[in-house]
Amino acid sequence: MSRNGSGTYTLPAGNPVVTGTTIASTWANNTMNDLASAMTDSVAADGQTAMTGNLNLNSNKIVNLATPTLSTDAVTKAYVDTADALSLLKASNLSDVANATTSRTNLVAAKSGANSDITSLTGLTTPLTVAQGGTGAATLTANNVLLGNSTSALQVVAPSTAGNVLTSNGTTWVSSTPTAVNTSQLAKAWANWDGSTGSIRSSYNVSSVTRVSTGIYTVNITSALANANYAVICGTSAADANNDGGYMGIKNGTTPTTTSFELVTDGRTLGEYDPTYAMVTVFST
């Protein structure tokens, strides 16, 4: 009957024999065949026997294993520990780390924020959230403006119409049409010049200042004004060392044009004079 399913072998019927029993061929053949079957089902020490079922070690160990060479070979604990260390060295491009302990230390450092040595991340299939240091989005539309949104995905503002500006509505930022500017409220020309020479220090839309004579100047406009009905605001430095007041305005008897006008100065006691600083600003529709 060979083994009983729990590994215990029992001799077949007719055994054991007693003294004086006649040994018959039937008994001998049955007993020998049963022993042969039991031995065939046993594991040969020289490795000839292939297992036909799972090997239950009953919490015992397999000891003295050789180093594996094939993918189907059993491995020792030392081999597994070494393979684990090698795998960790390769993970996250840590191939230059000397051992698994250092690798784990470095990984913890990276997790806590010391990640200056991390140059790239690959294989991500889900965008990093804002809390994780990402944007919460897989793609960002070109030229949109990004707005913070606490720990939620970033908000965006599209450029919209050409000429729009980014403005606050008190709660967030929006792309909106700028308020129209009344150009009549803007200076159309201005200049600051040396009254003794007519040399311009700085100007806008004034091509030149001609010193006609002492205290008299012609201001020449670069781009013609819309009409000759413009306003001219003048200023001068003091007329003398005593800081006597000076005046400059449109010269009496002259008519402004869209491209030039003539000015004259007058000191309270000096009459016409050349101020150190002569200044003019022009407003027009």
Side-chain angles (χ1 to χ4, degrees), residues 215 236 239 245-249 264-273:
T236 69
Y247 159 85
M248 183 167 67
V264 63
T265 63
D266 182 58
R268 186 172 58 179
T269 60
L270 293 178
E272 295 170 358
Y273 72 102

Side-chain angles (χ1 to χ4, degrees), residues 103-130:
S103 297
R104 293 187 185 98
T105 300
N106 288 1
L107 287 173
V108 171
K111 182 179 180 181
S112 66
N115 58 359
S116 59
D117 57 339
I118 298 177
T119 58
S120 66
L121 291 173
T122 58
L124 293 178
T125 57
T126 302
L128 293 177
T129 65
V130 173

Side-chain angles (χ1 to χ4, degrees), residues 7-87:
T8 302
Y9 175 77
T10 302
L11 288 169
N15 289 286
V17 296
V18 297
T19 303
T21 301
T22 300
I23 301 300
S25 61
T26 301
W27 170 87
N29 290 334
N30 287 342
T31 299
M32 291 300 102
N33 287 337
D34 198 69
L35 287 172
S37 177
M39 293 180 68
T40 299
D41 288 339
S42 299
V43 179
D46 61 2
Q48 293 184 57
T49 307
M51 302 300 297
T52 59
N54 295 330
L55 185 61
N56 184 354
L57 296 181
N58 195 29
S59 298
N60 294 301
K61 300 177 181 179
I62 298 176
V63 298
N64 298 324
L65 284 176
T67 300
T69 56
L70 301 177
S71 61
T72 55
D73 290 349
V75 297
T76 63
K77 180 179 182 300
Y79 185 86
V80 171
D81 289 344
T82 300
D84 178 59
L86 291 173
S87 296

Side-chain angles (χ1 to χ4, degrees), residues 93-155:
N93 197 26
L94 295 175
S95 57
D96 58 335
V97 180
N99 54 64
T101 301
T102 304
S103 297
R104 293 187 185 98
T105 300
N106 288 1
L107 287 173
V108 171
K111 182 179 180 181
S112 66
N115 58 359
S116 59
D117 57 339
I118 298 177
T119 58
S120 66
L121 291 173
T122 58
L124 293 178
T125 57
T126 302
L128 293 177
T129 65
V130 173
Q132 294 170 328
T135 63
T139 60
L140 295 172
T141 302
N143 302 317
N144 278 0
V145 177
L146 302 180
L147 302 179
N149 192 24
S150 187
T151 56
S152 299
L154 296 180
Q155 295 178 324

Side-chain angles (χ1 to χ4, degrees), residues 189-191 198 200 203-210 219-223 259:
W190 57 264
I200 296 176
S203 68
Y204 167 69
N205 200 28
V206 173
S207 59
S208 64
V209 174
T210 303
V219 177
N220 300 298
I221 304 299
T222 304
S223 297
T259 57

